[in-house]
Amino acid sequence: MTDRTRPETDLTRPVLSVRDLAVQYYTDDGPVRAVNGVSFDLMPGEKLGLVGESGSGKSTMALALMRLLRAPTTITGEVMLDGDDLITLPERGVRQLRSSKISMIPQGAMNSLNPVTKIEKQIIDTLEDHGGRRDKRELLGLARDALESVGLRRSVGKMYPHELSGGMKQRVCIAIAVAMQPQVVIADEPTSALDVVVQRQVMDTILKLQEELGVAVILIGHDMGLMAQTVDRLAVMYAGKLAELSPIHDIFADPLHPYTELLIESLPKLADRGTFRGIPGLPPSLRSMPSGCLFHPRCPKAFDLCTELAPDYLESEPSRFVACHLHQSQESHAVRR
Ligand code: SF4
C-alpha cells in the first residue's frame, strides 16, 4: 500500500474551528435561516456526532462547511481549516482544499457517482482535480489503494456504478473521500438507504479508516444508538442552532438540554419493550420561528423567560456547551464555542 503518512499535526489545536456560522436561503416567500450562529471546534482525529430531526440544518451545515451551497444562499461566519477561512477563501482555493483537506461522504451514494464512468476513473479524476499533477501509474496505484482501503477488490475499479450493490457504492464514495488523506471527513448519514448488515459494514469501514489515517470525522445522522457506540462527542441541533454539545458519555449519563433528554428517552429500551416515547409537537417552520427559545413550544420544562428570551449557547460545565436558561447562571463560563 502507498505511504499514507502526512505532515505532523498539532494534536492540541482544533483542526476545524467554526464560529457563528449562518446560512440564509432566499425563497419566493423571503429569506430563511437554515443555520443560525453555530460554533464548535473539531480536534484532530476526533469523532464528532451531529444529530437532530429532519430539517434541523445538519445537512445544510455540512454543505456550508464544504462551501458547496449555491446561490441564492449566503453563508456568514468563520470556518478555519489549517489557517484558511473556508467562508472567505476564493473558489479556486476552496476547490484545492476540498478532498485534500476536507471531504465529504455524501448521503445516498446511488446519486453521487457518475453512472457512465468506471469507478477507477472517478477516483483518479478526484486525485487529479485536487492533488495536482502526478503520473498515470502513480494515480492508478493510489486509486487501487483507495479501493483496497475500503475492502473492495482492485477489479471493482473496472466496473460501472450500476454493477455494484448499494453497500459497494457507498464504499466507493468513502474511498473517494479519503483518497487524498484529508484532515476532516464529513459523513452525512452515510448508511441511510442501506440494510442493517451493510450499514454495520459501512460504519466499520469508516471507523477503520478514521483510526488508520487519524482523520477527524463529523458523523451526521439521527440514530442516537449508533452515535452512542461511535463518537467521542455529540452535538445536538435544533431549528438551525446547536442545543447542546458534550462528551458522549456525559450526554447519555446526564443530558443538559431538555431536547437531548427527550431524544435519549425516545430510544427503545429492552425493559419497556413495545413502548415508544416520541417527542411531542413538531420542529418549527423556518419561516415562522417562535419567540425566545426555539424549543419552548415543545419543552416540558419551559418557564416564563423561555418564551421571551433566546438562551445563549454557553459552556455551562467544563467541555459541556448548552443553550438553555436552566443552565445559565453567574457561574456559567461566558465563552462561546
Ligand atoms: Fe426548555 Fe426553556 Fe431550556 Fe428552552 S430555555 S430548552 S424552553 S427550559
Side-chain angles (χ1 to χ4, degrees):
M1 191 165 182
T2 309
D3 181 20
R4 284 184 166 267
T5 56
R6 61 162 168 243
E8 286 284 301
T9 308
D10 182 351
L11 299 177
T12 62
R13 293 180 53 191
V15 62
L16 185 77
S17 200
V18 178
R19 292 291 176 274
D20 251 327
L21 181 68
V23 177
Q24 188 152 291
Y25 289 115
Y26 296 91
T27 70
D28 291 344
D29 300 324
V32 161
R33 284 222 152 190
V35 175
N36 194 357
V38 168
S39 300
F40 66 92
D41 286 334
L42 180 71
M43 300 306 286
E46 184 183 22
K47 289 166 279 177
L48 175 70
L50 180 62
V51 292
E53 290 162 287
S54 298
S56 60
K58 309 182 299 283
S59 294
T60 300
M61 187 171 87
L63 292 170
L65 294 179
M66 296 288 295
R67 267 268 301 274
L68 284 172
L69 290 167
R70 296 280 166 256
T73 310
T74 52
I75 309 174
T76 54
E78 191 183 82
V79 176
M80 296 303 294
L81 173 70
D82 210 14
D84 289 305
D85 182 359
L86 293 178
I87 303 300
T88 53
L89 202 65
E91 180 55 32
R92 195 156 172 261
V94 176
R95 234 182 112 71
Q96 276 169 358
L97 293 188
R98 268 189 228 124
S99 295
S100 64
K101 290 195 177 166
I102 184 166
S103 69
M104 191 164 178
I105 302 167
Q107 212 180 98
M110 325 289 164
N111 307 322
S112 63
L113 295 171
N114 184 337
V116 295
T117 304
K118 287 184 178 169
I119 298 301
E120 207 164 73
K121 172 92 170 66
Q122 299 198 39
I123 303 176
I124 287 174
D125 285 349
T126 304
L127 291 165
E128 275 186 323
D129 266 11
H130 306 282
R133 287 185 161 273
R134 298 182 202 226
D135 82 42
K136 281 215 162 72
R137 268 192 32 209
E138 189 189 354
L139 287 169
L140 192 59
L142 288 169
R144 288 175 174 171
D145 278 354
L147 285 175
E148 285 184 342
S149 74
V150 295
L152 293 173
R153 292 188 315 275
R154 289 174 165 225
S155 54
V156 168
K158 300 280 177 228
M159 299 166 92
Y160 289 97
H162 71 84
E163 297 176 276
L164 309 181
S165 68
M168 288 168 88
K169 276 187 252 195
Q170 191 57 301
R171 278 166 193 251
V172 169
C173 290
I174 298 169
I176 291 172
V178 301
M180 297 284 301
Q181 301 179 35
Q183 294 169 325
V184 177
V185 170
I186 302 170
D188 188 6
E189 308 214 21
T191 58
S192 62
L194 298 175
D195 69 55
V196 180
V197 176
V198 181
Q199 277 182 10
R200 188 68 252 175
Q201 291 167 351
V202 167
M203 268 323 295
D204 286 348
T205 305
I206 293 173
L207 295 177
K208 177 179 141 296
L209 284 168
Q210 187 274 333
E211 211 163 284
E212 277 177 18
L213 302 175
V215 61
V217 172
I218 299 177
L219 177 63
I220 299 176
H222 45 249
D223 184 341
M224 292 288 277
L226 177 71
M227 293 294 172
Q229 294 166 26
T230 311
V231 301
D232 304 310
R233 289 193 302 158
L234 187 66
V236 178
M237 205 160 173
Y238 187 79
K241 290 173 174 264
L242 285 186
E244 178 168 358
L245 195 162
S246 291
I248 191 72
H249 178 266
D250 294 345
I251 218 165
F252 273 87
D254 175 28
L256 296 178
H257 197 284
Y259 179 53
T260 316
E261 205 176 321
L262 288 170
L263 282 177
I264 293 170
E265 275 178 13
S266 68
L267 276 173
K269 293 174 194 67
L270 279 177
D272 45 41
R273 253 193 285 173
T275 319
F276 286 96
R277 225 176 312 162
I279 302 175
L282 292 169
S285 157
L286 295 178
R287 284 198 186 82
S288 61
M289 291 288 197
S291 60
C293 172
L294 300 178
F295 189 57
H296 87 253
R298 303 171 77 187
C299 181
K301 296 183 178 173
F303 55 106
D304 288 350
L305 181 65
C306 305
T307 59
E308 295 157 15
L309 187 69
D312 284 331
Y313 178 69
L314 300 173
E315 188 174 21
S316 70
E317 297 172 24
S319 306
R320 302 202 63 180
F321 299 86
V322 65
C324 174
H325 290 306
L326 293 172
H327 301 279
Q328 296 192 352
S329 61
Q330 295 296 323
E331 292 82 45
S332 291
H333 302 253
V335 181
R336 286 173 179 269
R337 274 289 145 88

